[in-house]
């Protein structure tokens, strides 16, 4: 059986984590066909923009679960994510610099799952440059849940993508002078849109139905567009089977 060098796993995780670290640090329909666009709504559309922003942050923090999907642009690259998050963890998929993988966090345990191609693509080498041992090791990791130890520098970068509070705190802030930008609609839900610096500091669509949850964010500087859904909808986080898990943490050097 081909041994899996722990250093190889660590290098590959560190490479993609460094890329993802950059990422962390919609068209609406105007009008609603009545003289009072706030008739029958939750009333936040009548509030000053700063109050709308604080209300939506409070609403987002009041529930235990959410789904976050869309794109983040950083360093000239576009990253795609589709994550389901709740208080004790999260799961979902990310694509960073052409590398697709899944993340799963349950409490303090963090796992990364990817195919063999993910593990084979290291240090800019192509398939023809790799030896049989490298390919065999990558094949053994493909489709497995690789546990990322808490002592690994990549742990904090990846776990941020599975932390509801961390992500929402970093995302739900518009930059510059706040203003409202009319009534819109997202996925059939009426919204009020607020902007930072007339849109250059980002725009946020806030639900006018039910609680004022954020529904769509266009990040400042063209840094991506994200949608929020399934607010308060719980989901299961299941430990991966032992036979599908690779834990290399005990083999890592302490430095």
């Amino acid at each position: 059986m081909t041994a899996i060098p722990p250093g190889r796993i660590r290098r590959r995780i560190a490479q993609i984590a460094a890329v993802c670290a950059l990422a962390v640090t919609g068209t609406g329909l105007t009008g609603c066909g009545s003289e009072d666009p706030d008739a029958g709504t939750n009333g936040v559309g009548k509030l000053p923009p700063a109050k709308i922003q604080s209300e939506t942050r409070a609403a987002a923090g009041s529930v235990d679960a959410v789904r976050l999907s869309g794109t983040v642009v950083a360093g000239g690259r576009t990253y795609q994510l589709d994550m389901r998050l709740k208080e004790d963890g999260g799961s979902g998929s990310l694509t960073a610099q052409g590398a697709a993988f899944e993340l799963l966090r349950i409490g303090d345990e963090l796992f990364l799952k990817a195919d063999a191609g993910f593990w084979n693509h290291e240090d800019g080498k192509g398939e023809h440059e790799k030896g049989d041992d490298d390919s065999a090791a990558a094949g053994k990791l493909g489709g497995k849940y690789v546990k990322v130890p808490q002592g690994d520098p990549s742990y904090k970068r990846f776990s941020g993508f599975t932390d509801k509070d961390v992500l929402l705190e970093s995302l739900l802030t518009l930059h510059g002078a706040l203003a409202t930008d009319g009534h819109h609609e997202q996925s059939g839900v009426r919204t009020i849109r607020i902007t930072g610096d007339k849109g250059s500091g980002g725009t946020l669509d806030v639900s006018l139905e039910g609680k004022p949850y954020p529904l769509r964010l266009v990040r400042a500087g063209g840094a991506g567009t994200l949608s929020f859904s399934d607010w308060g909808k719980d989901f299961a986080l299941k430990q991966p089977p032992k036979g599908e898990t690779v834990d290399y943490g005990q083999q890592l050097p302490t430095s």
Side-chain angles (χ1 to χ4, degrees), residues 78-90:
T78 300
Y79 310 93
Q80 296 178 324
L81 63 157
D82 187 354
M83 301 295 302
R84 299 190 70 185
L85 312 169
K86 60 182 182 177
E87 295 302 316
D88 59 346

Side-chain angles (χ1 to χ4, degrees), residues 148-170:
V148 183
Q150 293 185 53
D152 193 300
S154 302
Y155 178 91
K156 185 175 181 180
R157 295 168 183 164
F158 280 130
S159 63
F161 282 99
T162 64
D163 191 311
K164 171 181 173 285
D165 293 336
V166 167
L167 274 179
L168 295 183
E169 179 68 25
S170 64

Side-chain angles (χ1 to χ4, degrees), residues 29-34 37 182-185 190:
L29 301 177
T30 60
C32 62
S34 70
H183 291 70
H184 299 260
E185 184 179 309
R190 288 178 291 171

Side-chain angles (χ1 to χ4, degrees), residues 30-55:
T30 60
C32 62
S34 70
E35 292 183 1
D36 182 4
D38 293 301
T41 71
N42 55 25
V44 297
K46 297 180 180 180
L47 300 175
K51 182 63 174 177
I52 296 174
Q53 179 171 255
S54 66
E55 289 287 323

